[in-house]
């Protein structure tokens, strides 16, 4: 059966490359018909040799049976939320708070600028390059195990596109439903007298919370990664967030194509205005932008503000001149 195994491996690797070029590089290598032909060839060969089926095979996206419920998963690193800005003044406050804590003028600071996708935050764990587990953000500390549903999302790789994968890599990103897929889903639901969804975000949430992966598999969901959680490897990660996202893309993880580096206040505002102007033609819902200090070491120096209470404020006296007597 080594002959069969080699044939299976070749088919799986070829299909993975086709999926990578189609879903991540947005640049198909072959027509869909050729992809479908090869997928059927692999399905037939696996049907003849079920004992040789591997969990990372492109044929293994839709789980067997519906779940009774979702198990809970505790995030090793909490998935925190973001502070909001609603005006240029708020942005200036954000920049000033950074300058107060690190000796760098914001004009010299590089930022990774991203569209803020209006979907659901998820965490996907790859062990030795194989998709092992996926969870919703939940309350930030514990989420629901939605591994079976995440596996059905066509642009989520079941195996990372590298000969030497990290021991553990947690990818964090947004699962969303593009507007066209949302409209088609609601049309079909109406035609079948089923309930429709109010907006793409609810449709994505409802699709990920399906206990039956066969239903999730028929929903047009898309993943875009935006950060790395747990990482264990002999190799160091790049030292910039933007460069880390490009590295994820090289591994076969889809990353939004609007993401850019910007330096200083003017370029941040230019990115914000650029995305705002493109908003209606993106083909998916966004609710703003996410602007991140790009240098990871600076991110760690700046740290997190645990959500300060909204109902209390420390109104301080002006700093007293130290009297030297
Ligand atoms: C909660 C969140 C949401 N988003 N969305 C994007 N694009 N990036 C991003 N980063 C996040 O958190 C990081 C700052 C860790």
């Amino acid at each position: 059966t080594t002959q069969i195994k080699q044939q299976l491996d070749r088919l799986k690797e070829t299909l993975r490359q086709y999926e990578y070029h189609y879903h991540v590089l947005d640049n198909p290598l072959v027509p869909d018909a050729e992809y479908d032909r090869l997928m059927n060839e692999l399905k037939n060969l696996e049907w003849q040799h079920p004992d040789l089926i591997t969990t990372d095979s492109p044929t293994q996206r839709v789980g067997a049976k519906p779940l009774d419920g979702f198990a809970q998963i505790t995030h090793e690193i909490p998935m925190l939320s973001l502070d909001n800005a609603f005006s240029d003044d708020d942005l200036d406050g954000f920049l000033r708070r950074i300058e107060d804590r690190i000796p760098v003028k914001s004009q010299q600071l590089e930022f990774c600028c991203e569209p803020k996708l209006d979907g659901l935050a998820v965490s996907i764990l790859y062990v030795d390059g194989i998709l092992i587990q996926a969870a919703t953000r939940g309350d930030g500390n514990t989420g629901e195990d939605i591994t079976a549903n995440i596996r059905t999302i066509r642009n989520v790789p079941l195996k990372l596109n590298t000969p030497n994968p990290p021991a553990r890599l947690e990818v964090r990103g947004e699962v969303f439903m593009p507007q066209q897929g949302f409209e088609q889903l609601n049309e079909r639901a109406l035609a079948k007298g089923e309930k429709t969804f109010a907006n793409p975000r609810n449709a994505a949430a409802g699709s990920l919370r399906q206990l039956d992966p066969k239903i999730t598999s028929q929903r047009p969901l898309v993943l875009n990664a935006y950060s790395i959680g747990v990482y264990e490897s002999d190799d160091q990660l790049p030292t910039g967030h933007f460069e880390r996202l490009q590295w994820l893309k090289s591994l076969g993880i889809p990353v939004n194509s609007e993401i850019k580096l910007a330096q200083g206040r003017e370029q941040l505002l230019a990115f914000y205005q650029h995305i705002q102007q493109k908003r209606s033609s993106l083909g998916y819902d966004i609710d703003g932008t996410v602007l991140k200090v790009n240098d990871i070491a600076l991110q760690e120096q700046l740290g997190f503000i645990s959500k300060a209470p909204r109902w209390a404020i420390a109104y301080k006296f002006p700093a007293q001149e130290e009297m030297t007597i």
Side-chain angles (χ1 to χ4, degrees):
T1 54
T2 47
Q3 183 74 13
I4 302 283
K5 270 181 144 190
Q6 282 167 350
Q7 195 183 352
L8 284 165
D9 286 347
R10 215 174 26 256
L11 278 169
K12 287 185 283 189
E13 194 45 43
T14 305
L15 284 163
R16 272 189 216 110
Q17 284 312 312
Y18 289 172
E19 289 173 0
Y20 175 55
H21 281 259
Y22 184 90
H23 288 292
V24 179
L25 303 185
D26 229 3
N27 181 13
L29 284 176
V30 294
D32 295 359
E34 173 58 13
Y35 174 83
D36 295 342
R37 186 189 68 73
L38 226 48
M39 181 64 91
N40 287 326
E41 194 177 319
L42 176 56
K43 280 178 181 169
N44 291 335
L45 198 54
E46 287 182 340
W47 190 80
Q48 291 162 19
H49 306 274
D51 53 314
L52 298 179
I53 293 176
T54 59
T55 176
D56 64 358
S57 169
T59 64
Q60 301 305 300
R61 280 192 177 280
V62 188
K65 57 191 181 347
L67 297 172
D68 300 326
F70 294 112
Q72 291 284 309
I73 288 184
T74 299
H75 302 298
E76 288 181 44
I77 300 170
M79 291 181 73
L80 301 176
S81 52
L82 288 163
D83 221 356
N84 295 322
F86 297 102
S87 66
D88 291 1
D89 286 350
D90 289 349
L91 178 68
D92 290 335
F94 167 66
L95 296 176
R96 211 170 26 254
R97 286 195 296 278
I98 290 173
E99 290 179 333
D100 288 350
R101 293 182 72 100
I102 53 175
V104 183
K105 299 299 290 169
S106 58
Q107 214 41 36
Q108 311 312 324
L109 261 186
E110 264 201 334
F111 290 84
C112 182
C113 304
E114 310 172 20
K116 189 169 186 315
L117 302 169
D118 197 2
L120 266 90
V122 298
S123 156
I124 306 176
L125 181 66
Y126 291 86
V127 174
D128 296 328
I130 307 292
L131 197 166
I132 294 297
Q133 171 184 286
T136 61
R137 178 181 176 283
D139 64 6
N141 289 307
T142 55
E144 292 176 320
D145 183 332
I146 52 167
T147 309
N149 289 339
I150 289 290
R151 292 177 64 88
T152 71
I153 300 176
R154 304 302 188 276
N155 80 334
V156 172
L158 299 178
K159 182 176 188 268
L160 296 178
N161 175 43
T162 169
N164 47 16
R168 294 206 311 150
L169 170 68
E170 180 197 2
V171 173
R172 292 177 169 190
E174 202 87 2
V175 170
F176 62 97
M177 187 178 292
Q179 284 153 355
Q180 192 187 359
F182 167 70
E183 282 152 19
Q184 289 166 352
L185 173 66
N186 268 355
E187 274 162 31
R188 276 201 310 273
L190 264 179
K192 290 189 283 185
E194 288 166 3
K195 81 176 179 70
T196 58
F197 291 100
N199 55 56
R201 194 207 163 284
N202 290 6
S207 303
L208 279 181
R209 277 209 205 93
Q210 275 296 332
L211 288 168
D212 184 356
K214 281 188 187 55
I215 296 175
T216 309
S217 177
Q218 291 153 5
R219 301 288 173 82
L221 295 174
V222 174
L223 168 80
N224 275 186
Y226 60 60
S227 90
I228 292 172
V230 167
Y231 176 73
E232 285 170 20
S233 168
D234 298 338
D235 305 318
Q236 296 287 317
L237 281 169
T239 60
H241 183 78
F242 178 82
E243 292 77 8
R244 289 186 174 194
L245 295 184
Q246 301 316 311
W247 174 73
L248 285 181
K249 189 170 179 177
S250 75
L251 289 186
I253 303 288
V255 172
N256 191 281
S257 52
E258 300 295 336
I259 293 176
K260 296 214 173 27
L261 274 173
Q263 180 177 331
R265 180 183 190 272
E266 298 327 307
Q267 287 185 19
L268 288 176
L269 293 176
F271 178 81
Y272 179 83
Q273 286 143 23
H274 167 70
I275 296 294
Q276 195 167 29
Q277 277 149 14
K278 281 188 88 165
R279 183 177 190 183
S280 57
S281 64
L282 287 172
Y284 49 85
D285 286 357
I286 61 171
D287 51 2
T289 61
V290 181
L291 311 173
K292 305 170 185 177
V293 169
N294 194 58
D295 182 276
I296 299 296
L298 289 182
Q299 285 186 9
E300 285 166 359
Q301 278 182 52
L302 288 163
F304 296 83
I305 24 163
S306 64
K307 274 280 161 241
R310 291 205 182 288
W311 40 267
I313 189 81
Y315 187 177
K316 316 287 277 291
F317 294 120
Q320 277 180 327
E321 295 304 309
E322 294 308 310
M323 300 300 283
T324 48
I325 304 163

